[in-house]
Amino acid sequence: MLFRSPAISQDLGADQRPWFFHSIKLFGLGESDVEKQVPDLIARDRLPRVGITVSKATITLRIAHQSESQAAFLTEIQPTVDLIEKEFGEFIFGTGEDELQDVVHHLLRTQAKTLSLLEIGSGPWIAHLLSLGFDPSPSYGLQSASWVPHLENGLVQSSIGKDFRNKVILDTLDLKELLCNIALQHRIDTNTDYTLVAGVYPASSSFNPAEGLPNCKFQVAIAKPKGAVHHSVHRILGHPELFYQRLAKTALNTLRKELLDDQS
């Protein structure tokens, strides 16, 4: 991206070569984590300059530098890009204008894989993100999105087969086993390559400011081709306005990593 501003150049005491910018997107850590791990990265006197912004639980590191050309800019910022990738590689999901849902859409499209989704708890947060920029196709991408408010919902019980509909049996299963069973059966029912099951989203009414920021143990189960299942538990804490975004993006990021692993 090219941007020229004499006013900015004068304010920064720089020459009149054009400014170029390159953004790197991260998810899974906070702004303070970046500053603590590489304290000199965003120093005001550093060249190239690196700015940090946070929006809806996503961190953007924006590299700015004056160069003669785009090619020269890319060469000159490469040591900074290498440093960021070395320090934060596991958290990087994209560049430029990429959002997590864009990356997931791209992976599903390039791998020609289909996805079904089931969210449990207070809202279809992942479905909303995946609907942004959604390019529907019967041969790849999101095919089915379902949401149920609680585990006792009929859809959940019908999704895990007749052997698990009995409440006594349901009560003997831990949440991990239950979500993995749901994911496996839902993948069969929807005839998709992958099924993402995420929950349980806590009700916002359960948040008590006197007890600190909202937090929960959020679980993700992903049924994959050949009957494999990934399961992970994430301890999430965040500001009330961003809490559900963080939960949904945690699930999407987990799916992104599984798609990448299966691709390699």
Side-chain angles (χ1 to χ4, degrees):
M1 177 181 179
L2 172 63
F3 176 72
R4 184 193 297 271
S5 171
I8 291 178
S9 296
Q10 183 176 2
D11 289 343
L12 295 177
D15 57 36
Q16 296 303 303
R17 290 179 300 169
W19 285 89
F20 293 86
F21 301 92
H22 177 68
S23 295
I24 299 176
K25 297 290 192 70
L26 301 86
F27 177 79
L29 73 174
E31 181 177 355
S32 61
D33 298 320
V34 175
E35 296 174 352
K36 181 178 179 180
Q37 190 161 335
V38 190
D40 297 332
L41 183 64
I42 58 174
R44 291 181 61 84
D45 59 351
R46 188 187 191 281
L47 292 176
R49 296 177 182 274
V50 179
I52 182 170
T53 59
V54 183
S55 176
K56 298 179 180 178
T58 294
I59 286 181
T60 300
L61 295 177
R62 191 170 187 243
I63 305 172
H65 193 58
Q66 286 182 288
S67 298
E68 296 293 343
S69 65
Q70 176 75 24
F73 166 73
L74 294 175
T75 298
E76 291 159 4
I77 70 166
Q78 192 57 51
T80 297
V81 173
D82 292 342
L83 173 63
I84 293 171
E85 291 179 346
K86 175 185 176 183
E87 297 292 337
F88 307 109
E90 65 177 302
F91 302 103
I92 296 172
F93 67 82
T95 59
E97 300 301 318
D98 287 342
E99 297 293 346
L100 266 171
Q101 63 268 17
D102 302 326
V103 176
V104 169
H105 283 314
H106 174 74
L107 288 169
L108 290 169
R109 182 171 63 252
T110 56
Q111 296 180 31
K113 299 298 184 182
T114 54
L115 172 70
S116 56
L117 169 66
L118 177 60
E119 298 178 82
I120 304 169
S122 59
W125 298 92
I126 303 170
H128 170 70
L129 289 176
L130 287 176
S131 70
L132 303 175
F134 178 49
D135 178 23
S137 169
S139 58
Y140 64 82
L142 183 64
Q143 305 296 307
S144 168
S146 304
W147 164 67
V148 295
H150 47 76
L151 284 168
E152 291 73 25
N153 182 275
L155 175 61
V156 168
Q157 296 190 30
S158 66
S159 294
I160 54 180
K162 63 182 181 180
D163 293 337
F164 297 101
R165 293 180 200 171
N166 185 294
K167 189 176 187 305
V168 174
I169 296 177
L170 282 172
D171 288 344
T172 66
L173 296 177
D174 62 25
L175 190 55
K176 172 183 176 180
E177 187 176 4
L178 182 58
L179 293 185
C180 288
N181 279 316
I182 292 172
L184 285 168
Q185 188 61 44
H186 201 65
R187 177 177 173 269
I188 294 171
D189 293 344
T190 57
N191 192 31
T192 51
D193 297 303
Y194 290 83
T195 286
L196 170 61
V197 176
V200 176
Y201 295 104
S204 59
S205 59
S206 67
F207 301 159
N208 183 355
E211 298 176 354
L213 293 174
N215 67 91
C216 74
K217 287 183 179 180
F218 193 65
Q219 302 203 29
V220 178
I222 301 172
K224 310 197 296 180
K226 300 181 181 179
V229 182
H230 165 89
H231 175 270
S232 54
V233 181
H234 308 266
R235 183 73 178 183
I236 307 295
L237 178 146
H239 190 278
E241 293 182 1
L242 299 176
F243 186 63
Y244 292 112
Q245 285 273 349
R246 189 177 294 277
L247 294 179
K249 287 186 175 182
T250 294
L252 272 184
N253 197 45
T254 304
L255 175 61
R256 176 187 69 86
K257 291 179 178 179
E258 289 301 307
L259 289 169
L260 284 173
D261 286 346
D262 292 348
Q263 178 180 260
S264 60

